[in-house]
Amino acid sequence: MPMIIDKQNGAIVISIRGEVDHHSARTIMENIDQTISSQLPMKLVLDLSSVTFMDSSGIAVLLRALRQMNQLGGNLRVTGIPPQPRKVLDAAGIGRLITLE
């Protein structure tokens, strides 16, 4: 699963690419876990602008990242959400828990 990790304006930005489904979710979670553990960011941004498909496994990825950021006392934002992933996130009500931009 190709991911790009960058620092922008004091935040760690993880850009996720391709499909976020049951095949890729574990790898994505492991990469996010490792980034959070090594960087200990107070601000984490997950950029989904290059995500081509997302199913409920993507919700699990976001909730796990949220839990980790809450444990650090930091915050999580999700940006660049394409229409199909947006429908999945909206149907699950994720916007009540995570800032979706």
Side-chain angles (χ1 to χ4, degrees):
M1 166 51 70
M3 294 173 50
I4 298 172
I5 300 167
D6 194 13
K7 290 184 181 181
Q8 296 176 3
N9 301 323
I12 298 294
V13 179
I14 300 176
S15 300
I16 301 171
R17 298 171 179 258
E19 296 186 0
V20 182
D21 58 16
H22 69 280
H23 295 292
S24 62
R26 182 175 307 278
T27 302
I28 295 169
M29 284 183 198
E30 289 170 355
N31 288 331
I32 292 172
D33 289 351
Q34 183 178 21
T35 300
I36 292 172
S37 295
S38 65
Q39 303 279 333
L40 300 173
M42 290 284 80
K43 297 178 185 176
L44 179 66
V45 177
L46 298 180
D47 178 4
L48 304 184
S49 59
S50 295
V51 170
T52 57
F53 173 82
M54 177 183 283
D55 65 13
S56 60
S57 299
I59 294 168
V61 168
L62 298 184
L63 292 177
R64 184 165 168 162
L66 176 64
R67 186 179 70 231
Q68 290 181 300
M69 291 306 296
N70 285 342
Q71 289 174 348
L72 287 176
N75 65 50
L76 171 66
R77 289 182 11 241
V78 180
T79 64
I81 308 166
Q84 189 276 329
R86 171 65 80 168
K87 288 179 185 176
V88 171
L89 298 176
D90 287 348
I94 295 300
R96 291 177 287 178
L97 303 172
I98 300 172
T99 302
L100 304 177
E101 298 175 359

